[in-house]
């Protein structure tokens, strides 16, 4: 699944601005964790439960009280018919009815059938919830008892006598469920077109919600073939994973309806099922193409051409992956559909990929280059799954990191192939790696791979959909691909997919195939792929590598943002890694060295008086680098004299490493600040973006203190040349920069210039916004600059500006435009408007449920909004948790987004009180709350230690020369 991580506003580069006074400090986002920021599965506990039999009291030892299915039965095929009602019944409920016949094989003799069923009202057959029949000559035993085991979400069938091992049977159920708006299972999405309310019936099964649509063996390894039939109104179309047969006209309960049946699917997991009933329309590729590609969306969106870019790029990206895996696309068609209500960024359902509208639709006249990049990377992420994840599937959710980390990594390869001028292979560093290193540097982080027995219930599974899984997973696989070479990596993938197609694996299966490819290519490694990689996936965190260029001594140590934090998670590797160190010396050729112990000496890394050394070239390794003070001084001198001699990614890396090393008390804070001094001559995006994100921490800690003024003055001095550079190359803001990254950096230039008071900036943005207000039907603001202009104008404006933007938000039919306005509305400095906006977040008529948490986080990123949002969430926690999905991934993002400024004892105690008040009702926010407590404590210590010297440094840098 693709995620917009934490806040799925757009790709990481299109950042949210936290506005206060003149400072709109942009907060960085990470993507495709995101990507898919964000598979934000939602399972609200308040959804109306159908009437069910009472839970049978029993001891925890009973099979139906365990969250994992027994290994006694294996599904073979399902025949499922579903009829969603797109209008409410007399009780004002939207419902669906259906029946399911599952054929299964008895693997071990048993007198129990345990199958998942959640929130379904099952029809009674002679007093039982199901019927059982024997197949192929087998005799079905009689039913003894049936009941619904609510805590573990099972239908339990007890039999009079055992099923025979080797025999095949089928279980028949009929049921009614609610077609709720909870974004999970079989649910409804609503939108308005030409004043008419439209209802879409659609699905989100991953990870554990297929059981909400029909009774099924709902685990990834329980693969089967699915025969789907959908009954739906005339004027609507039904879609599923496979191609449909010709629809039939039928009559049911007095209604004239259409019955659409679908070809049998390939053998697949339940979480990859999808079915949609809508009145959407489509565009498609040529009928004679090898693979039918169709883009589905609201009629107006298709008519406006918003699906054209997705159609243009899907074919080439599919072809890229077929070549990369050396394996043809396994299906006849690839449907991609944009849904008005969708919790994740996208979901890789096999043959029918579902997307949030912003992740599939692109309107050149309205959408930014960041929106376009997001569409390309999310499509690439989902198409990568068609082989890796769908054709070959993890055995259990503890290996989710391999599924999602892999798709995140190769999504940049696919997008790079589709858009070769964008430098996507570089942007993965900013969009994925830099952000997750901050999370993984906490003592409360977790290893990529979990033990199977530690991930049991749906809540545990949902917690795995985090930035460690997506972004660190991508980073370590990228590192592996680099040190064995991309060619060898793809050859190993090919044999892995060939051996395990249509079945399930554990991560060590991939290591074995990569090892075979390494051996065949005669690649020299210090140990096996498995031994090297175990240190990166079975223990949390990563090292800081310290290089002494005087002696050649190299050391490694577990890097923690808070060096005083207690690491209570043991590691069999004692927090040491096998580190592939790459480096260049004074601009020479790249060299490599493996650090295999806590320390070593490499005399090739010693320097003469005029040399400098930079390590971890292009940030290919997942580690930070520290140097002796002499080399730091030489690097700073090189940045000031001729920064282009250092590769652009490493210029960004030097800033990022220095700021993080300073937070960890390894280097002085002033050293980190000095890495930004060369920026007054830098025009490249990556160093500027890294500096902006690094300094955003300083704004979070100090924008309510006396440090704020000198800090603003310094940043104003540094960004003024960049602002003037873009003013010049755009011919006084009348042209769009040609280069993709320059377009991003133009946004940085204007945003930071306006937030720090650079002359002419505020007038520029408020003038553009005023022109739009005066002529609302003609918005001439450049799509790339829209969010920055909206935020800046709303920040300095009042209720009139806010109400105008709200009106435009409610009336736009373009999802990316709605997203920009939705975020920018949080930039106001008026507390009463922010409080009103918070109330809107819990009114689905005003803010869609899928956007509620991200909007609250946007409000909290505004210094004035942060305490308001924190108070609001605490007061409304019961409602938010129950109606907005305590099991959803986005809940973790909510807690971290609310608490990013916390840096006082008072705020720490508030967090502790919140934890105590809501014990047992934190859901997937549990881990994030622990991380927030740790981060707050680290922030408190950091502010106490650094505030004075930071104030002195900024003051000295901005004071007038005598």
């Amino acid at each position: 699944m693709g995620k917009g991580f934490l806040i799925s506003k757009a790709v990481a580069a299109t950042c949210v601005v936290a506005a206060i006074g003149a400072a709109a400090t942009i907060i960085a986002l990470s993507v495709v964790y995101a990507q898919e920021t964000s598979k934000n599965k939602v399972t609200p506990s308040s959804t109306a439960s159908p009437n069910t039999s009472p839970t049978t009291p029993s001891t925890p030892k009973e099979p139906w009280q365990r969250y994992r299915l027994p290994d006694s039965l294996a599904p073979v095929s399902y025949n499922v018919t579903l009829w969603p009602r797109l209008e409410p019944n007399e009780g004002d409920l939207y419902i669906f009815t259906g029946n399911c016949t599952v054929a299964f094989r008895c693997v071990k003799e048993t007198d129990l059938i345990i199958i998942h069923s959640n929130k379904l009202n099952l029809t009674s057959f002679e007093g039982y919830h199901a019927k059982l029949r024997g197949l192929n000559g087998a005799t079905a035993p009689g039913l003894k008892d049936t009941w619904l085991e609510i805590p573990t979400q099972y239908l339990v069938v007890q039999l009079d006598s055992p099923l025979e091992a080797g025999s095949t049977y089928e279980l028949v159920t009929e049921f009614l469920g609610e077609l709720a708006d909870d974004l999970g299972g079989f649910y409804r999405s609503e939108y308005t077109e030409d004043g008419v309310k439209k209802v879409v019936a659609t699905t989100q099964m991953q990870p554990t919600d297929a059981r909400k649509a029909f009774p099924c063996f709902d685990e990834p390894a329980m693969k089967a073939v699915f025969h789907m039939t959908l009954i739906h109104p005339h004027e609507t179309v039904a879609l599923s994973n496979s191609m449909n047969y010709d629809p039939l006209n039928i009559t049911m309960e007095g209604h004239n309806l259409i019955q659409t049946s679908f070809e049998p699917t390939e053998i697949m997991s339940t979480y990859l099922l999808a079915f949609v009933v809508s009145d959407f329309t489509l565009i498609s590729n040529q009928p004679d193409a090898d693979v039918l590609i169709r883009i589905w969306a609201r009629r107006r969106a298709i008519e406006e051409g918003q699906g054209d870019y997705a159609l243009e790029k899907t074919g080439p990206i599919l072809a890229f992956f077929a070549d990369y895996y050396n394996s043809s696309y396994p299906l006849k068609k690839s449907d991609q559909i944009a849904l008005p209500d969708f919790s994740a960024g996208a979901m890789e359902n096999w043959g029918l990929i579902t997307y949030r509208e912003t992740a599939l639709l692109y309107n050149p006249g309205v959408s930014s280059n960041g929106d376009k990049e997001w569409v390309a990377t999310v499509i690439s992420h989902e198409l990568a799954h068609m082989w890796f994840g769908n054709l070959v599937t993890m055995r259990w959710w503890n290996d989710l990191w391999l599924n999602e980390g892999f798709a995140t990594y190769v999504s940049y390869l696919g997008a790079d192939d589709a858009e070769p001028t964008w430098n996507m292979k570089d942007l993965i560093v900013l969009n994925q790696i830099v952000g997750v290193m901050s999370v993984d540097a906490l003592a409360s982080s977790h290893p990529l791979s979990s033990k199977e027995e530690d991930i049991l219930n749906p809540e545990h599974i949902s917690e795995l959909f985090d930035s460690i899984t997506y972004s660190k997973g991508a980073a370590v696989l990228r590192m592996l691909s680099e040190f064995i070479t991309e060619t060898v990596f793809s050859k190993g993938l090919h044999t892995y997919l060939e051996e395990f197609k249509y079945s399930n694996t554990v991560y060590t299966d991939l290591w074995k195939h990569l090892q075979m490819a390494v051996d065949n290519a005669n690649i020299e490694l210090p140990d096996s792929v498995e031994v090297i990689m175990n240190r990166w996936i079975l223990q949390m965190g990563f090292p800081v590598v310290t290089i002494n260029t005087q002696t050649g001594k190299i050391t490694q140590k577990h890097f923690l943002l808070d060096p005083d934090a207690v690491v209570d998670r043991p590691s069999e590797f004692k927090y040491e890694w096998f580190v592939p160190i790459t480096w260049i010396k004074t601009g020479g050729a790249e060299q490599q060295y493996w650090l295999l112990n806590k320390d070593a000496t490499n005399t090739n890394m010693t320097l003469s008086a005029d040399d400098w050394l930079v390590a971890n070239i292009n940030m290919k390794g997942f580690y930070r680098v520290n140097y002796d003070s002499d080399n730091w001084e030489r690097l700073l001198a090189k940045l000031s004299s001729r920064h282009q001699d250092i590769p652009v990614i490493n210029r960004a890396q030097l800033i990022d490493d220095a700021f993080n090393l300073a937070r960890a008390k390894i280097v002085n804070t002033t050293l980190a600040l000095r890495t930004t001094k060369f920026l007054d001559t830098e025009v490249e995006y990556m160093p500027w973006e890294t500096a902006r994100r690094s300094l955003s921490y300083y704004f979070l800690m100090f924008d309510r203190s006396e440090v704020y003024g000198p800090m603003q003055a310094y940043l104003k001095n540094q960004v003024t040349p960049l602002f003037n550079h873009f003013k010049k190359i755009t011919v006084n803001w009348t042209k769009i920069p040609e280069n993709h990254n320059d377009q991003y950096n133009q946004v940085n230039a204007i945003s930071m210039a306006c937030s720090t008071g650079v002359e002419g900036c505020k007038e520029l943005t408020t003038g553009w916004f005023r022109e739009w207000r005066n002529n609302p039907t003609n918005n001439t603001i450049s799509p790339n600059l829209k969010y920055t202009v909206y935020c800046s104008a709303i920040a300095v404006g009042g209720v009139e500006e806010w109400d105008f933007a709200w009106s435009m938000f409610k009336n736009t039919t373009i999802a990316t435009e709605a997203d920009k306005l939705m975020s920018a509305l949080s930039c106001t400095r008026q507390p009463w408007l922010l409080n009103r906006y918070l109330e809107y977040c819990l009114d689905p008529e005003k803010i869609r449920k899928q956007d509620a948490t991200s909007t609250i986080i946007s409000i909290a990123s505004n210094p004035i909004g942060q305490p308001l949002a924190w108070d609001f969430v605490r007061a409304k926690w019961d409602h938010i948790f129950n109606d907005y999905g305590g099991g959803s991934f986005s809940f973790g993002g909510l807690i971290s987004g609310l608490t990013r400024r916390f840096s006082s004892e008072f705020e720490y105690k508030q967090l502790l009180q919140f934890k105590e008040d809501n014990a047992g009702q934190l859901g997937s926010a549990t881990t994030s709350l622990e991380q927030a407590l740790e981060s707050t404590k680290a922030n408190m210590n950091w502010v106490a230690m650094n505030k004075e010297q930071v104030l002195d440094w900024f003051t000295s840098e901005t004071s007038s020369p005598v």
Side-chain angles (χ1 to χ4, degrees):
M1 174 158 40
K3 264 195 190 8
F5 178 43
L6 297 196
I7 309 170
S8 52
K9 283 297 126 220
V11 59
T14 312
C15 299
V16 172
V17 173
I20 182 174
T25 308
I26 309 175
I27 293 173
L29 309 178
S30 65
V31 260
V32 194
Y33 130 46
Q35 255 189 345
E36 273 195 31
T37 147
S38 15
K39 292 159 181 186
N40 307 0
K41 185 198 75 80
V42 180
T43 340
S45 57
S46 66
T47 301
S49 288
N51 297 324
T52 55
S53 303
T55 302
T56 301
S58 48
T59 67
K61 294 179 183 176
E62 300 293 358
W64 53 81
Q65 294 183 319
R66 300 174 192 147
Y67 281 100
R68 292 297 301 275
L69 288 167
D71 59 1
S72 49
L73 306 177
V76 176
S77 66
Y78 293 81
N79 272 279
V80 180
T81 299
L82 296 168
W83 177 16
R85 313 302 203 273
L86 302 187
E87 293 182 357
N89 63 12
E90 308 77 36
D92 207 32
L93 276 181
Y94 289 84
I95 64 163
F96 64 91
T97 54
N99 59 74
C100 170
T101 300
V102 53
F104 60 89
R105 190 176 68 259
C106 178
V107 180
K108 296 179 182 177
E109 183 179 283
T110 178
D111 62 357
L112 271 181
I113 299 171
I114 296 178
I115 187 169
H116 286 105
S117 179
N118 184 28
K119 299 185 179 179
L120 295 174
N121 191 353
L122 296 172
T123 301
S124 176
F125 299 107
E126 300 177 355
Y128 299 109
H129 290 89
K131 292 188 288 193
L132 181 66
R133 294 193 285 253
L135 296 177
N136 304 322
T139 301
L143 305 191
K144 182 178 179 182
D145 193 10
T146 65
W147 71 91
L148 290 159
E149 186 71 17
I150 304 301
T152 46
Q153 302 177 350
Y154 288 139
L155 164 61
V156 184
V157 180
Q158 280 186 328
L159 305 171
D160 286 329
S161 58
L163 301 168
E164 290 184 13
S167 294
T168 307
Y169 305 86
E170 63 180 21
L171 188 75
V172 180
T173 51
E174 292 182 5
F175 45 86
L176 178 150
E178 183 186 355
L179 195 69
D181 62 351
D182 58 2
L183 310 181
F186 198 18
Y187 72 94
R188 80 176 187 277
S189 170
E190 298 177 359
Y191 66 100
T192 301
E193 196 165 74
D194 298 328
V196 178
K197 177 177 154 181
K198 303 289 184 72
V199 174
V200 177
T202 185
T203 55
Q204 170 59 34
M205 304 307 197
Q206 191 185 40
T208 57
D209 276 343
R211 64 194 69 172
K212 283 180 65 184
F214 59 93
C216 55
F217 297 95
D218 198 10
E219 292 189 356
M222 294 287 189
K223 289 191 170 185
V225 172
F226 295 84
H227 304 258
M228 296 299 307
T229 296
L230 293 172
I231 295 167
H232 53 103
H234 287 271
E235 311 301 324
T236 62
V237 64
L239 299 172
S240 190
N241 302 78
S242 49
M243 288 296 295
N244 60 280
Y245 297 114
D246 289 340
L248 303 174
N249 292 317
I250 63 168
T251 302
M252 288 187 70
E253 299 179 12
H255 299 280
N256 292 321
L257 299 163
I258 299 173
Q259 177 177 293
T260 302
S261 295
F262 298 87
E263 295 175 2
T265 67
E266 299 290 345
I267 299 168
M268 60 184 283
S269 303
T270 49
Y271 81 87
L272 295 168
L273 279 171
F275 26 93
V276 182
V277 172
S278 72
D279 75 341
F280 287 1
T281 190
L282 77 152
I283 50 173
S284 68
N285 60 353
Q286 297 303 317
D288 58 350
D290 291 339
V291 176
L292 175 65
I293 296 169
R294 300 184 293 192
I295 309 297
W296 298 84
R298 292 176 291 107
R299 289 181 180 276
R300 179 167 295 174
I302 292 295
E303 288 163 2
E304 291 175 353
Q306 295 183 43
D308 293 356
Y309 180 70
L311 181 63
E312 176 191 336
K313 295 303 176 185
T314 296
I317 293 173
L318 266 181
F320 168 80
F321 283 122
D323 182 63
Y324 182 72
Y325 296 125
N326 190 17
S327 173
S328 57
Y329 177 65
L331 307 179
K332 293 180 184 178
K333 58 111 171 168
S334 176
D335 277 328
Q336 301 185 90
I337 186 165
L339 298 165
D341 297 281
F342 193 70
S343 63
M347 177 63 213
E348 67 269 17
N349 315 299
W350 216 8
L352 175 55
I353 305 173
T354 44
Y355 292 82
R356 188 178 282 217
E357 287 193 340
T358 50
L360 187 67
L361 303 181
Y362 172 74
N363 185 319
V366 177
S367 306
S368 68
N369 67 319
D371 299 328
K372 193 175 190 179
E373 184 189 306
W374 181 240
V375 170
T377 49
V378 178
I379 289 175
S380 186
H381 181 111
E382 305 313 324
L383 294 179
H385 275 309
M386 297 301 107
W387 290 262
F388 201 101
N390 296 11
L391 182 65
V392 177
T393 311
M394 68 213 158
R395 186 173 73 196
W396 183 242
W397 298 106
N398 61 306
D399 279 337
L400 179 71
W401 73 271
L402 185 59
N403 196 23
E404 294 301 347
F406 177 85
T408 301
Y409 164 52
V410 299
S411 70
Y412 284 82
L413 307 184
D416 182 71
D417 186 76
E419 295 286 1
T421 64
W422 287 1
N423 296 320
M424 290 302 298
K425 291 182 181 180
D426 293 352
L427 287 174
I428 191 174
V429 173
L430 279 179
N431 293 351
Q432 303 298 328
I433 297 170
V434 167
V436 78
M437 289 184 102
S438 297
V439 178
D440 204 28
L442 299 174
S444 54
S445 186
H446 63 85
L448 273 171
S449 188
S450 308
K451 292 179 180 175
E452 196 167 334
E453 60 268 24
D454 291 342
I455 308 298
L456 294 176
N457 65 35
E459 208 167 80
H460 291 156
I461 295 166
S462 289
E463 277 200 300
L464 292 175
F465 288 86
D466 68 358
S467 62
I468 298 293
T469 290
Y470 282 76
S471 301
K472 182 181 179 178
V476 300
L477 290 169
R478 172 179 178 259
M479 176 173 68
L480 168 60
S481 178
E482 292 285 352
F483 69 69
I484 69 173
T485 75
E486 195 174 295
T487 302
V488 171
F489 189 72
S490 66
K491 284 181 178 175
L493 289 172
H494 168 69
T495 58
Y496 168 80
L497 292 170
E498 279 300 304
E499 178 174 346
F500 296 108
K501 58 188 175 185
Y502 305 110
S503 61
N504 297 80
T505 60
V506 294
Y507 72 87
T508 51
D509 293 320
L510 178 62
W511 294 164
K512 287 171 190 167
H513 280 267
L514 291 175
Q515 187 64 52
M516 285 161 42
V518 164
D519 294 342
N520 290 337
N522 295 316
I523 301 280
E524 287 190 25
L525 296 177
D527 214 315
S528 69
V529 169
E530 181 171 355
V531 168
I532 293 169
M533 294 307 293
N534 277 349
R535 286 161 171 75
W536 295 96
I537 67 164
L538 299 181
Q539 60 183 354
M540 68 179 187
F542 57 87
V544 52
V545 172
T546 300
I547 300 171
N548 187 324
T549 62
Q550 309 302 305
T551 64
K553 185 177 180 183
I554 316 165
T555 60
Q556 63 164 297
K557 184 182 179 184
H558 183 194
F559 179 76
L560 292 168
L561 271 179
D562 178 3
D564 303 319
V566 177
V567 177
D568 53 14
R569 186 189 291 269
S571 166
E572 62 178 296
F573 306 109
K574 300 182 174 59
Y575 291 101
E576 292 178 22
W577 291 262
F578 286 1
V579 189
I581 300 174
T582 53
W583 84 94
I584 57 173
K585 189 188 290 188
T586 319
E590 181 180 327
Q591 302 180 64
Q592 181 163 327
Y593 175 79
W594 281 93
L595 178 61
L596 305 177
N597 299 299
K598 200 169 185 65
D599 53 66
T601 299
N602 182 352
T603 53
N604 290 333
M605 290 185 174
T606 56
L607 298 179
S608 61
D610 298 325
D611 286 335
W612 51 267
L613 181 147
V614 65
N616 197 10
I617 303 308
N618 294 330
M619 288 187 73
K620 289 183 287 194
F622 194 68
Y623 56 91
R624 296 203 180 280
V625 186
N626 184 29
Y627 306 96
D628 58 287
S629 57
D630 282 355
N631 192 56
W632 271 117
E633 291 301 326
R634 291 168 182 176
L635 289 169
L636 290 170
K638 173 53 64 176
L639 287 173
S640 294
S641 63
R642 187 176 163 80
H643 60 258
Q644 297 90 340
D645 288 353
I646 298 173
V648 64
I649 294 178
N650 288 98
R651 301 204 294 273
Q653 174 222 7
L654 287 170
I655 297 169
D656 189 56
D657 278 352
F659 273 88
N660 281 279
L661 292 168
R663 280 184 67 183
K665 305 178 190 173
I666 294 172
V667 302
N668 194 287
T669 296
T670 55
L671 170 69
L673 292 170
R674 287 170 65 201
T675 64
T676 67
K677 289 189 68 171
F678 82 101
L679 290 174
D680 57 1
T681 60
E682 175 68 88
V683 296
E684 289 288 344
Y685 169 63
M686 293 186 74
W688 262 108
E689 178 64 13
T690 306
R692 189 188 58 67
R693 294 185 193 183
S694 298
L695 287 169
S696 74
Y697 178 74
Y698 285 62
F699 278 94
L700 287 170
M701 294 302 100
F702 296 132
D703 62 9
R704 297 170 287 177
S705 77
E706 67 273 25
V707 179
Y708 178 69
M711 188 163 61
Q712 282 284 83
Y714 172 75
L715 193 55
K716 178 181 178 181
N717 290 344
Q718 295 302 91
V719 81
T720 297
L722 187 70
F723 181 75
N724 292 331
H725 165 77
F726 279 104
K727 182 178 180 180
K728 181 179 179 181
I729 71 167
T730 61
V731 192
N732 200 23
W733 314 110
T734 60
K735 294 185 177 179
I736 297 171
E738 291 181 13
N739 182 280
H740 185 65
N741 283 353
D742 283 348
Q743 291 180 38
Y744 282 145
N745 218 24
Q746 182 192 20
V747 176
N748 275 343
I750 293 176
S751 175
M752 287 187 280
C754 284
S755 70
T756 57
V758 171
E759 186 178 345
C761 188
K762 185 173 73 174
E763 293 77 10
L764 184 71
T765 56
T766 54
W768 283 334
F769 192 80
R770 191 183 311 110
E771 286 178 18
W772 184 32
R773 279 187 62 202
N774 292 339
N775 188 2
T777 59
N778 183 28
N779 185 345
T780 59
I781 302 166
S782 165
N784 295 343
L785 302 177
K786 281 184 172 182
Y787 172 72
T788 300
V789 171
Y790 297 167
C791 181
S792 179
I794 289 168
V796 299
V799 65
E800 290 183 2
E801 286 77 8
W802 200 97
D803 283 349
F804 170 75
W806 175 256
S807 171
M808 293 296 100
F809 164 70
K810 292 304 290 181
N811 290 319
T812 184
T813 61
I814 297 162
T816 53
E817 178 73 357
D819 263 16
K820 292 180 182 68
L821 286 161
M822 189 164 54
S823 284
L825 286 162
S826 66
C827 296
T828 179
R829 297 179 203 152
Q830 307 285 332
W832 74 274
L833 286 173
L834 290 167
N835 271 325
R836 184 175 76 175
Y837 198 24
L838 283 165
E839 293 291 344
Y840 285 3
C841 289
L842 297 190
D843 180 351
E845 295 294 315
K846 291 186 169 70
I847 298 290
R848 291 183 181 276
K849 281 191 173 186
Q850 67 179 23
D851 299 317
T853 53
S854 62
T855 304
I856 293 169
I857 293 167
S858 287
I859 295 167
S861 66
N862 177 338
I864 295 170
Q866 189 274 323
L868 304 177
W870 175 232
D871 289 348
F872 178 80
V873 168
R874 285 186 296 167
K876 307 274 189 180
W877 184 255
D878 280 357
H879 175 57
I880 295 171
F881 182 85
N882 289 318
D883 277 22
Y884 283 73
S888 83
F889 166 73
S890 58
F891 260 60
L894 180 62
I895 296 298
S896 57
L898 285 167
T899 59
R900 296 171 82 247
R901 274 190 177 77
F902 281 16
S903 57
S904 69
E905 184 69 31
F906 177 70
E907 288 164 328
Y908 185 78
K909 287 178 177 174
Q910 282 189 321
L911 259 179
L912 283 174
Q913 188 64 49
F914 178 76
K915 178 183 175 182
E916 183 182 319
D917 291 346
N918 297 286
Q921 192 165 279
L922 292 167
S924 59
T926 305
T927 301
S928 287
L929 186 58
E930 293 304 320
Q931 291 173 342
L933 285 163
E934 184 185 347
S935 294
T936 302
K937 187 65 83 172
N939 292 345
M940 290 160 57
N941 295 337
W942 187 86
V943 168
M945 184 175 171
N946 291 286
K947 183 177 178 181
E948 189 174 335
Q949 60 177 319
V950 169
L951 176 60
D952 290 346
W953 191 85
F954 280 123
T955 302
S956 67
E957 286 296 317
T958 53
S959 56
S960 302
V962 178

